Amino acid sequence: MKGFCPPEPEHLRRLLSATAPVIRENAGAPQAAVLLLIYADGKDSFIPLTLRSNDLPVHAGQICLPGGRVQNADVSLPATALREANEEIGVQLEQSCVLGCLPVTNTISGFEVTPVVAWTSSPPEFQLDPREVNALIALPLELALDLSLYKQDHVIENGSTREFYFIEFGEHYIWGATARILRSLACLVR
C-alpha cells in the first residue's frame, strides 16, 4: 500500500471492544483466546504467527495466532491469550499491552475464539516451544491490513461446501479462522 502509515496504539484501543467476553463455566462450545500481537521493529510493524507442529492433535501444521483453550486458573480471556503466547512463543507481556478484543469467531474444530489485540513498541524476545511450534512467521502489519490481499476459497467436505478467506505471504497460505481474524482487524482499521 502506498504511503502506509500504521495505526497508533491508542487509535486501535478506541476501535476495539474494551470488554472481552467473559469466561463462561457452562459454555456451549469450549472457549479459547488467541493473541494478535502487533510489534514495532524500526519503522515497520509485524504480527507474529506460528507454524504449528505436525504432531499436535488439532490444527497440526497450520499457521495460527498463538493461543489456546481457557484453563481453570485463567481469570479472563486476555489472560488466556497472554499465558498461551508465553507458553508457545516465549513472549512475556503485561496486561497493559492489551488494547482490546476483536469479535469472537467460531472454528470448525468447535472452539469459540476471542482474538485479543496487544501492542508493544519493540520486538519481543521469542522462544518457541518446539513441541507446539515449528516456526515463527513475522507477518508485516502493512500486508495484514491490506483488504485487497484477502481472497476467498472453498473446500467440499462430506458433500458440503465451506467457504473461507485466505491470504498469502511468501510461501505461506494463511487461511480459516486466522485469516478471518486478521481480516476483521483490517476491516476495523480501514
Side-chain angles (χ1 to χ4, degrees):
M1 290 186 292
K2 281 192 171 177
F4 174 74
C5 184
E8 292 294 323
E10 288 311 310
H11 177 68
L12 275 177
R13 190 183 306 275
R14 286 190 299 274
L15 294 174
L16 293 163
S17 171
T19 328
V22 296
I23 296 174
R24 298 184 317 278
E25 294 224 1
N26 296 316
Q31 288 181 283
V34 295
L35 186 68
L36 195 162
L37 172 62
I38 300 167
Y39 67 91
D41 190 357
K43 62 182 179 181
D44 296 318
S45 297
F46 299 91
I47 298 170
L49 302 174
T50 63
L51 176 60
R52 291 172 56 88
S53 167
N54 290 324
D55 299 328
L56 292 172
V58 180
H59 306 297
Q62 293 183 10
I63 297 173
C64 300
L65 292 158
R69 183 187 289 249
V70 170
Q71 301 294 321
N72 289 336
D74 294 338
V75 296
S76 67
L77 290 159
T80 298
L82 293 174
R83 175 186 53 75
E84 285 284 339
N86 180 259
E87 290 174 8
E88 291 179 20
I89 60 174
V91 170
Q92 295 185 15
L93 296 175
E94 299 296 322
Q95 182 70 32
S96 61
C97 292
V98 173
L99 301 178
C101 297
L102 290 165
V104 170
T105 190
N106 294 303
T107 66
I108 190 125
S109 55
F111 285 90
E112 183 179 279
V113 179
T114 299
V116 176
V117 180
W119 184 285
T120 183
S121 58
S122 60
E125 289 189 34
F126 296 107
Q127 287 201 304
L128 308 184
D129 178 347
R131 295 169 301 186
E132 294 192 52
V133 179
N134 279 349
L136 188 78
I137 300 161
L139 178 68
L141 180 63
E142 180 176 358
L143 296 181
L145 296 183
D146 186 345
L147 282 170
S148 71
L149 297 179
Y150 292 87
K151 308 295 182 209
Q152 284 193 288
D153 201 349
H154 70 280
V155 65
I156 299 172
E157 294 175 335
N158 302 323
S160 296
T161 301
R162 183 170 55 96
E163 292 189 356
F164 56 88
Y165 283 103
F166 72 93
I167 184 171
E168 293 178 290
F169 172 55
E171 73 275 9
H172 303 295
Y173 186 80
I174 305 160
W175 66 285
T178 302
R180 197 166 55 244
I181 290 167
L182 292 169
R183 187 177 181 279
S184 73
L185 178 68
C187 289
L188 183 74
V189 170
R190 297 289 169 214

